[in-house]
Amino acid sequence: MRARVWAGTAAVVLGSLLAAGCGGGGKETADENAARAVSGAYPVSVTDCAGARTTFSTAPARIVTSNASGLELLLRLGAGDKVIGTGFPPGRGTLPAALDAQAGKVKVLGRSVIPKEKLLGSGADLYIDTFASMGSMGGGMGDAPTEEEFKAAGIKHIYLKSTACAAQSKGPVTDLSAVEADITSLGAVTGTRARAKEIVAGMKRKVDAVQKAVGGTAGSERPTYFLFDYDAGTKQPTVVCNRQLANAVITLAGARNVFADCDGDYKQVGWEDVISKNPDWIQLGVRNRGSAAANEKAFDEAEQWLRSNAATKGLKAVREGHFLRIGSEPTTIAGVENADTVEAIAKTLHPGKVG
């Protein structure tokens, strides 16, 4: 996939609604644009990481998602009946019961990255891309379609900017505004604005409550925090830097990401770097295995590795048993559960303050 450059803002442009034959064909005023945005009228325009615009004259009818993140958001928005296929499908039981049943009916076009030919021949009119420029995810994007090939196949191509554009952002990610903007954007595109507004409001309430409880905690009093990506490999740890969504989740929860000093989304470091940080808490960030029992086994394996490895068993968090069993996906991938993860981390690190 072609490299994208972050436009310098987390917000998705939704106000640039194109003129549709008003008043002699002139451009709409700002007030008219705003009115159309509220009413849910089409056309609707959204932008990519570089500011390039994609316009929808009607709601898409056949959507393919690159992974479970986009699929979950569409299911929560009530647009799941429009999804005809996905890559990186969610493990069974990873979503709430009703959503899990819906997700199970979506055709799996690829257990990881969807093969190019299968994507272009899917019959989709929209492809929602989560990992546009993240070659480290899922073994890389492989032979991804060009924008010209998408156009020839009649497929519009948009992004979850909070994830796809993270590495190129110009500053640290410290809030969930980009995730909320993605939800708002998908709501506009799929004609589910009202539901999107409800979802964003619920996320804000949850995060605001945590901020009220711990937001005033001085930086020096905030515990240090390391997300151990067990599934990325243990020989050389892969850490989340300050452009990755997890940095915002950790920060909002009242902790300090020990690798917040590296600019970018992910970075491979040495265990000596982790030892030098000596975190107060470690999140056992394993990826969902498809069942509660399998997940617990994976958490056990990750914890045992840290306790038995010569390089890590002396870490403060390991010696004190300061582990959090929270999966990677709700921490590092855009979704409604990012707010839940903020709350879960805060409850563990700041007991008594967060109810």
Side-chain angles (χ1 to χ4, degrees), residues 289-303:
R289 301 299 201 265
S291 72
N295 289 339
E296 282 304 307
K297 181 180 179 181
F299 285 131
D300 288 343
E301 291 174 358
E303 180 176 336

Side-chain angles (χ1 to χ4, degrees), residues 228-238 271:
F228 173 39
D229 191 345
Y230 178 65
D231 294 312
T234 56
K235 185 176 181 179
Q236 186 175 15
T238 298
W271 281 111

Side-chain angles (χ1 to χ4, degrees), residues 186 202 267:
L186 289 183
K267 181 181 180 181

Side-chain angles (χ1 to χ4, degrees), residues 275 278-282 303 306-307 312-323:
I275 293 169
N278 198 22
D280 296 314
W281 290 87
I282 296 176
E303 180 176 336
L306 290 169
R307 288 186 180 279
T312 57
K313 63 183 181 181
L315 290 172
K316 178 182 178 181
V318 176
R319 287 188 284 105
E320 297 181 357
H322 282 181
F323 301 113

